Amino acid sequence: MNSCFNKIVLVIFVLFFLVGCKSKNIKNTKTSFFKDEVFACYYHDKFNGRNTASGEKFSNNKLTAAHKKLPFNTKVRVTNLENNKSVDVVINDRGPFSKGLEIDLSKKAFMSITDDTNKGKIKVSIQLLE
């Protein structure tokens, strides 16, 4: 009976130790990969002042973005794969709704990572920020 009890205590201790190690690794991670080699576009100025799906007023002068599935207030780092420039944005809207596009950036965010301001979309990677 005592041997069985000792084994149970040992198993519980090991489980708590493993859970503790796992949570420490997660806390130390600053970014985590989400999507690679997807396309980003930017909002037209006509959306300035309109409500986003989260209820905020949209502004092309803020560092925000729309995504179809990521929760509102999720912070993501979007990196242009051509020049390695990146920008951190907050998800506050839903979209884009055009086929082949993964994320819709505010104009300020998009222009901060592109070298060609005449482009309407760029290939990016997306990382989740903690």
Side-chain angles (χ1 to χ4, degrees):
M1 181 89 152
N2 198 13
S3 176
C4 184
F5 177 77
N6 288 340
K7 287 179 182 176
I8 291 171
V9 170
L10 179 62
V11 167
I12 291 171
F13 175 77
V14 169
L15 288 174
F16 278 115
F17 177 78
L18 292 174
V19 169
C21 288
K22 185 177 180 184
S23 66
K24 286 179 185 175
N25 288 338
I26 291 171
K27 288 179 185 177
N28 289 335
T29 303
K30 294 186 181 187
T31 64
S32 60
F33 174 76
F34 180 66
K35 295 271 183 150
D36 194 26
E37 294 191 26
V38 294
F39 285 100
C41 58
Y42 67 92
Y43 283 85
H44 190 280
D45 286 330
K46 71 180 181 180
F47 293 104
N48 278 317
R50 293 187 188 179
N51 284 338
T52 63
S54 68
E56 291 180 47
K57 294 274 185 210
F58 176 73
S59 172
N60 255 329
N61 295 319
K62 293 182 179 179
L63 295 175
T64 59
H67 192 271
K68 292 177 202 138
K69 296 180 181 176
L70 288 173
F72 296 136
N73 295 317
T74 300
K75 294 177 184 172
V76 298
R77 177 165 295 147
V78 181
T79 303
N80 182 336
L81 296 177
E82 286 184 8
N83 61 17
N84 212 33
K85 290 182 182 178
S86 61
V87 64
D88 296 348
V89 296
V90 177
I91 303 297
N92 72 342
D93 203 5
R94 292 288 169 238
F97 299 109
S98 298
K99 188 176 179 180
L101 298 174
E102 182 70 26
I103 192 164
D104 202 354
L105 300 171
S106 66
K107 197 172 196 177
K108 180 177 183 176
F110 187 92
M111 293 303 167
S112 73
I113 62 172
T114 187
D115 290 331
D116 184 354
T117 57
N118 293 318
K119 281 188 176 181
K121 71 177 185 176
I122 54 177
K123 193 179 283 191
V124 300
S125 68
I126 302 171
Q127 292 174 299
L128 301 177
L129 300 176
E130 290 186 17

